[in-house]
Amino acid sequence: MVALRLIPCLDVANGRVVKGVNFVGLRDAGDPVELACRYSHAGADELVFLDIAASHEGRATLLDLVRRTAEEVTIPFTVGGGIGSIDGITELLRAGADKVSLNSTAVRYPQLISQGADRFGCQCIVVAIDARRRSEAGKGWDVYIKGGRQNTGLDVLAWAKKVEEMGAGEILLTSMDGDGTQSGYDLELTRKVSEALSIPIIASGGAGSIKDIEDVLTKGKASAALLASLLHDGVLTVEEIKADLLRAGLPIRPING
Amino acid sequence: MSRSLGLIDYGMGNLHSVRKAFSRLDKELLIVNSPEDLANCSGLILPGVGAFDPAMECLEKIGMVSSLKDWAEQGKPLLGICLGLQLLFEASDEGKSKGLGLLKGIVRRLPSNEEERIPHMGWAPLKQRKACPLLADNDASNWMYFVHSYAAIPEDTQDLAATAPFGKLGVTAVVWKGRIGACQFHPEKSSIAGQRMLKRWLSWLEEGAQPLQ
């Protein structure tokens, strides 16, 4: 089987990393390209950049960042945030992104998923789903858009299946309940979506320990784990996580593989 | 040899990263848009991302289908990458177009009953089946980045140079015949392991590109 993946995620705005990153000896802690290189050398399997400002004015800066990353980084990377049209997909892929991640626009205009997949191949269309557990126990999860500000009322499982049918190559599934808490991934959410679909699921939101990551990749059946504050705050390194997961017997690409 | 290596630009996928990978190895590639450009080339790279039929149509549109067949018949070096590997075969489950037919066999949809996710996306280690200029014996650094939903099944098993684990049977990862080679994964996205593989191909070219069955 293909190795389970660890994917650092960098939030960027106006060409800079938003959350501080705790790396020893960084020349410029805010430069996404330098950070991307560091994570790549540390053994990250892929990278994700999320443009959280996603402003119209910031687009040229983002494209420049994507171009510079493509020059320097030799592992695949995904770019998301504010992609609203096939032109938006095209310009990011042309600038050198390997995949794009669609979120709010995919909900409002699902045809964009199939248009993108038809034109560029499903492997480069990731759909991000922000999920929040419904208040009534056992009633599933709602899909949120606009950075978690708006509840669409869509059921996460139903939406995930639709997204797969429309041609997405992968789903980036974020538990909003877990996001930033470091209290563990939502294993039930991740497992339910993974079991219902045949495309890979990237789990996100809640990683606080190596055990959490191991759990989401085994019990949660995710193909990849997205890592943010855990890495950026210096709690753990990619090396440490990979070494432990390898010891636990998981199929992981060795750091010098 | 003063002549260049050509990178075929037929509108399918991101040439930039392949070009950049070679430029890291101090080798600048000539972008090939038409058969006329081939006169300046001693080796060719056929990249590709996307679907089989549009790729064959785009190759046909720039007049490269018959030129590539001639190129192979003359025994000149060719390296296919990802979809570029699949196009070397005779046909694909993905479409109706004929492939280039430089290698015998069909490209099949990955089996869905193997408890594996499709697309096959991520890193996998190569398992060598025969010696070829892309592979080194005993290279522990052999993890490559794959992303595909279809895989070639070479009719001549001798053409199969390496596989990657997938289900019970594995998938075709590297093929080689004569001076034609190809990889299903993306060496340009496979960090140091991928770079080493491209470097081996360049060394083989520089050392006279001896054919290998």
Side-chain angles (χ1 to χ4, degrees):
Chain A
M1 74 182 285
V2 75
L4 301 164
R5 289 168 282 157
L6 298 181
I7 308 180
C9 175
L10 295 165
D11 286 352
V12 298
N14 305 311
R16 306 283 295 169
V17 174
V18 178
K19 287 180 204 155
V21 177
N22 215 330
F23 248 142
V24 182
L26 268 191
R27 204 162 28 86
D28 177 357
D31 179 21
V33 181
E34 193 183 351
L35 276 173
C37 289
R38 291 291 288 259
Y39 280 129
S40 168
H41 289 304
D45 297 309
E46 287 182 35
L47 296 163
V48 170
F49 292 102
L50 283 185
D51 181 12
I52 60 164
S55 64
H56 190 63
E57 308 79 53
R59 220 58 191 167
T61 320
L62 180 71
L63 289 173
D64 179 59
L65 160 66
V66 172
R67 269 184 220 107
R68 288 191 297 128
T69 305
E71 288 283 312
E72 301 293 334
V73 173
T74 55
I75 58 174
F77 68 99
T78 302
V79 182
I83 301 165
S85 64
I86 196 82
D87 290 345
I89 296 173
T90 309
E91 63 181 9
L92 285 168
L93 295 177
R94 285 227 177 105
D98 297 287
K99 315 178 195 180
V100 293
S101 172
L102 308 175
N103 194 338
S104 302
T105 312
V107 172
R108 285 198 302 267
Y109 183 55
Q111 292 85 341
L112 186 59
I113 302 169
S114 41
Q115 281 177 10
D118 287 348
R119 184 117 145 225
F120 302 107
C122 70
Q123 79 291 331
C124 63
I125 306 296
V126 181
V127 173
I129 301 179
D130 291 342
R132 173 163 279 166
R133 205 173 266 273
R134 286 172 176 156
S135 47
E136 209 178 328
K139 291 288 180 192
W141 296 262
D142 280 315
V143 176
Y144 277 70
I145 55 170
K146 299 194 172 167
R149 291 190 301 275
Q150 188 182 325
N151 184 0
T152 64
L154 287 170
D155 176 65
V156 167
L157 269 175
W159 173 235
K161 282 184 203 162
K162 166 117 191 240
V163 157
E164 179 176 70
E165 276 164 30
M166 300 292 285
E170 210 169 18
I171 285 178
L172 169 52
L173 180 63
T174 300
S175 156
M176 292 173 58
D177 305 292
D179 208 15
T181 64
Q182 302 198 356
S183 60
Y185 292 91
D186 187 334
L187 295 182
E188 190 192 358
L189 166 72
T190 313
R191 183 174 47 80
K192 285 218 159 132
V193 177
S194 292
E195 283 176 347
L197 270 55
S198 63
I199 58 176
I201 308 297
I202 306 167
S204 156
S209 67
I210 297 178
K211 184 76 173 69
D212 291 340
I213 299 166
E214 185 186 338
D215 283 347
V216 85
L217 295 173
T218 52
K219 294 176 194 157
K221 303 194 173 177
S223 296
L226 198 79
L227 302 167
S229 48
L230 187 70
L231 291 180
H232 306 330
D233 297 348
V235 179
L236 287 168
T237 65
V238 176
E239 290 97 326
E240 288 167 343
I241 300 169
K242 284 203 151 181
D244 270 21
L245 294 180
L246 280 165
R247 265 195 293 274
L250 270 63
I252 297 285
R253 176 177 70 117
I255 287 157
N256 296 314
Chain B
M1 206 179 287
S2 63
R3 291 201 298 171
S4 312
L5 287 183
L7 178 63
I8 302 173
D9 178 8
Y10 59 117
M12 294 297 284
N14 180 4
L15 295 188
H16 182 82
S17 50
V18 175
R19 208 174 174 186
K20 183 69 200 174
F22 278 94
S23 106
R24 283 192 194 99
L25 298 166
D26 295 320
K27 186 73 192 176
E28 299 307 324
L29 302 180
L30 179 78
I31 299 297
V32 171
N33 295 303
S34 72
E36 290 79 67
D37 299 329
L38 296 182
N40 300 313
C41 296
S42 59
L44 268 185
I45 299 157
L46 178 62
V49 169
F52 195 86
D53 282 0
M56 286 306 299
E57 283 157 26
C58 290
L59 275 179
E60 187 66 71
K61 211 179 286 172
I62 63 166
M64 285 302 295
V65 171
S66 58
S67 303
L68 275 168
K69 288 179 181 173
D70 292 345
W71 180 273
E73 200 153 298
Q74 291 159 21
K76 293 181 182 173
L78 173 64
L79 178 66
I81 296 177
C82 195
L83 183 60
L85 175 147
Q86 300 181 4
L87 299 175
L88 302 180
F89 286 83
E90 294 166 292
S92 171
D93 283 353
E94 194 182 8
K96 295 189 174 73
S97 297
K98 274 189 179 172
L100 292 166
L102 308 181
L103 297 175
K104 278 190 181 165
I106 307 287
V107 178
R108 296 290 184 199
R109 170 127 188 118
L110 289 173
S112 58
N113 55 355
E114 294 279 7
E115 306 263 310
E116 301 269 7
R117 300 260 153 194
I118 298 173
H120 179 230
M121 185 171 326
W123 296 80
L126 301 183
K127 187 174 172 197
Q128 192 169 345
R129 299 284 289 264
K130 70 167 183 180
C132 94
L134 295 173
L135 304 168
D137 295 335
N138 306 318
D139 190 351
S141 177
N142 63 357
W143 286 72
M144 303 292 179
Y145 188 83
F146 287 78
V147 48
H148 59 121
S149 302
Y150 296 81
I153 315 281
E155 196 177 306
D156 295 335
T157 48
Q158 285 181 17
D159 296 346
L160 187 61
T163 58
F166 183 93
K168 288 184 286 294
L169 298 173
V171 286
T172 296
V174 179
V175 292
W176 191 278
K177 183 181 188 178
R179 291 193 178 92
I180 299 176
C183 50
Q184 178 59 64
F185 51 86
H186 286 276
E188 77 281 11
K189 287 289 164 184
S190 297
S191 194
I192 292 160
Q195 188 151 339
R196 279 195 199 145
M197 194 202 84
L198 294 177
K199 193 167 184 204
R200 284 193 284 269
W201 189 65
L202 287 179
S203 304
W204 170 76
L205 289 172
E206 278 159 21
E207 286 158 13
Q210 293 306 312
L212 180 114
Q213 290 308 317

